[in-house]
Amino acid sequence: MEKVQVSQDVAKVLDHLTMNYTKKVIIDTHVRNPNGWPMDENKALKGLDLDVLCQALYCGYTAEQTPEEKLLEYFSTYKNKILDGTATPIDELVALSIETTCVLLNAKIKGVNC
C-alpha cells in the first residue's frame, strides 16, 4: 500500500504519538473513542477514519501541502524555465500572473513575491 496523505495537523500529532507510543496503543485508543482523544494536542485525530489511521501508521503518511506551498511549487516550475532559458512567452506570463495575483491579494509568499 501507498503512503496516505493527511493534514499537517494530523501528521504533527502522529509524529509525536509514534515517538512515545506503539502503533497498537494508538489504534486501541482511537478505536475506544475516535472522537474523544484526551489531550488538546491530539485533537487533530478526533473523527479520523480508522482505515486512514491504520494506513498512516503501517504504510506511512505525508502531510498535505499548504496552499502557499502548492503555489510556490507551481510558480517554481515556471520560474525555473525562465531562469534556464527554456520558457515560452506563455510560461513567462503565467509566472508574472502568479506574482501579480499575490500582490493583489496582499499575500506574501516566500519564493514568489518576497
Side-chain angles (χ1 to χ4, degrees):
M1 286 190 106
E2 297 180 6
K3 288 184 177 183
V4 66
Q5 262 199 344
V6 296
S7 71
Q8 290 194 352
D9 291 338
V10 168
K12 193 180 298 183
V13 171
L14 289 176
D15 288 344
H16 172 74
L17 289 176
T18 55
M19 289 190 323
N20 297 296
Y21 302 99
T22 65
K23 295 171 185 171
K24 182 181 183 323
V25 168
I26 297 168
I27 292 168
D28 280 347
T29 303
H30 193 70
V31 167
R32 291 177 197 276
N33 196 355
N35 291 311
W37 279 85
M39 295 186 286
D40 276 348
E41 67 246 17
N42 299 335
K43 68 182 176 187
L45 298 184
K46 289 184 177 182
L48 183 67
D49 184 79
L50 180 60
D51 289 339
V52 172
L53 178 62
C54 291
Q55 188 175 353
L57 291 173
Y58 286 98
C59 300
Y61 55 91
T62 56
E64 294 176 344
Q65 291 180 310
T66 65
E68 291 82 5
E69 290 168 334
K70 288 178 185 177
L71 185 63
L72 175 59
E73 184 179 316
Y74 186 69
F75 174 76
S76 295
T77 301
Y78 293 97
K79 192 66 172 182
N80 289 338
K81 287 181 181 182
I82 293 168
L83 294 174
D84 69 17
T86 61
T88 65
I90 300 240
D91 294 333
E92 292 177 9
L93 283 172
V94 169
L96 181 60
S97 297
I98 293 169
E99 290 173 325
T100 303
T101 301
C102 288
V103 170
L104 290 173
L105 295 174
N106 199 25
K108 302 266 188 225
I109 299 176
K110 186 176 180 182
V112 176
N113 65 337
C114 69

